[in-house]
DNA sequence: GTTCAGTTATATCGCTCCGATACATCGGGC
DNA sequence: GCCCGATGTATCGGAGCGATATAACTGAAC
């Protein structure tokens, strides 16, 4: 079975197209998932080590860069996917379980949608949507029940939180609509190499 | 100096008005900060222990509930603020540094606004606002620079993140406006009896 | 009236993550 | 020549989380 945590998945995804070393992985991930979700070295390097141990990636002493000049390049360790890593990635990309629409995992899964087939994309979006509407009900339930007992600021915080989730749902509805209308037109294939 | 972490502050705040035991603390916190921000026991109990060690709270073997019926209530440990804890709380409530408008801290600080004086409220809101607009610029900068090199889904994720932050800023602007217009009318006092 | 599920309640273990920090090297500007 | 900011690898301590164990009470089904 081997469960794949979010960080591992994100790294598998980012190494899909080229080998990179730690520093680059961090920058790319930061750029793709937004400047929030910082990802510190304190998580990155241990995770890379775990992945090497698990045989998902391979470390190599950086030959990659051009003809270049003679001698002592600084220590750089480029990581690339092994076959096991590549098949783990596609296995993971084909799945659409609860772990795909959790708060922290959804962004990563979404950022890999270009390599996910249309049916799975739709299932993930719908799963995320239903997860959020559960939450919606919880919160608005709570809001009604707290008439007294809470001051204006706390209530405002709740109201604002509710609104945020509502907008998130609207966003998902738009995306789902798009996916649905794209279906039927084209072949529904896996989108793959656009850049 | 003694830095107070977010969780500690939240607990100080929730114990301000009555002693509670662990389970209740968790429920209240969950209700006040929204059902997100779960707070697991694995964080709560260690934190309570730290706070007892630091002399901020006191454990007592639960006499609190009514006349009640005779004998063996199950083990329940009620925690209440010590004088040190109470003064730490008001000290913390009077401050408005960067730690008040960090992502994770802001919600907690905001939920305690009813016990924060008007000037500090305003400073915190403004601090949070400027933190978010920094981020705004970063992200939109990044969005412009990534024309190529990113697929449609990744771009959409960025766009959506940007929009969220924009709305957060609008929300803050509304709150700041309210605070400003309330000033001048009333006495600007601290909304409550600080000891 | 007994069983069974759910809530109240405290507590710990292992693991991961983060922030801070320590190194070293590179490319440029002054 | 010299410092500064980016590039790059790495670790440490502390804090949080998810899962889990334990146990007593509550109430409804049967």
């Amino acid at each position: 079975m081997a469960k794949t945590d979010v960080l591992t998945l994100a790294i598998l995804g980012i190494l899909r197209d080229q080998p990179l070393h730690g520093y680059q992985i961090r920058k790319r991930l930061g750029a793709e998932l937004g400047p929030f979700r910082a990802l510190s070295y304190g998580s990155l390097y241990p995770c890379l080590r775990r992945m090497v141990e698990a045989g998902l990636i391979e470390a190599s002493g950086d030959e990659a860069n051009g003809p270049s000049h003679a001698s002592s390049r600084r220590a750089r360790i480029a990581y690339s996917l092994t076959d096991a890593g590549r098949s783990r990635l596609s296995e993971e990309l084909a799945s659409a379980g609860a772990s795909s629409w959790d708060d922290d995992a959804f962004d990563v899964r979404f950022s890999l949608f270009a390599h996910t087939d249309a049916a799975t994309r739709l299932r993930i979006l719908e799963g995320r949507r239903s997860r959020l509407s559960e939450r919606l009900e919880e919160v608005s339930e709570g809001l009604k029940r707290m008439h007294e007992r809470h001051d204006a600021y706390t209530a405002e915080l709740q109201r604002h939180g509710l609104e945020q989730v509502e907008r998130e749902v609207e966003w998902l509805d738009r995306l789902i609509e798009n996916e649905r209308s794209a279906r039927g037109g084209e072949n529904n294939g896996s989108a793959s190499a656009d850049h």
Side-chain angles (χ1 to χ4, degrees), chain A:
Chain A
M1 274 302 332
K3 49 202 164 160
T4 311
D5 63 291
V6 196
L7 185 46
T8 298
L9 177 58
I11 294 175
L12 287 176
I14 214 121
L15 291 181
R16 200 193 94 111
D17 297 317
Q18 14 32 68
L20 294 169
H21 45 256
Y23 191 83
Q24 290 174 316
I25 292 176
R26 185 177 188 254
K27 279 195 75 182
R28 295 271 185 115
L29 240 38
E32 252 169 54
L33 303 177
F36 3 79
R37 309 253 175 292
L39 175 61
S40 74
Y41 293 121
S43 339
L44 177 60
Y45 286 109
C47 182
L48 287 172
R49 211 180 305 129
R50 283 195 304 274
M51 290 173 74
V52 170
E53 271 161 32
L56 297 173
I57 58 177
E58 233 173 10
S60 70
D62 185 52
E63 340 284 313
N65 56 355
S68 109
H69 44 299
S71 58
S72 65
R73 219 51 177 106
R74 173 163 66 276
R76 297 163 119 233
I77 304 162
Y79 295 93
S80 51
L81 290 191
T82 61
D83 289 344
R86 199 164 291 278
S87 76
R88 171 73 131 273
L89 176 60
S90 38
E91 188 186 313
E92 214 58 52
L93 283 178
S95 80
S99 55
S100 311
W101 49 70
D102 278 347
D103 283 327
D104 51 341
F106 176 74
D107 287 9
V108 173
R109 280 307 245 116
F110 188 84
S111 74
L112 293 170
F113 262 24
H115 313 116
T116 306
D117 78 89
T120 308
R121 288 202 298 262
L122 196 54
R123 247 179 307 140
I124 290 176
L125 290 174
E126 280 165 348
R128 175 75 181 158
R129 209 214 105 107
S130 83
R131 154 80 102 251
L132 287 182
S133 28
E134 278 170 40
R135 189 126 83 198
L136 218 52
E137 257 173 276
E138 265 179 71
V139 185
S140 54
E141 207 62 25
L143 249 178
K144 258 177 282 174
R145 231 181 305 105
M146 84 165 171
H147 283 124
E148 24 239 303
R149 178 199 187 74
H150 282 295
D151 61 281
Y153 287 109
T154 312
E156 176 60 23
L157 190 61
Q158 295 280 335
R159 217 195 45 67
H160 177 242
L162 187 64
E163 216 174 85
Q164 268 188 281
V165 182
E166 273 165 6
R167 287 212 255 254
E168 193 86 9
V169 170
E170 282 164 30
W171 180 65
L172 285 168
D173 282 338
R174 248 170 5 247
L175 291 172
I176 289 170
E177 183 54 36
N178 284 351
E179 291 287 336
R180 287 236 173 82
S181 63
R183 228 139 142 67
E186 305 288 319
N187 88 39
N188 69 2
S190 71
S192 72
D194 359 48
H195 53 113

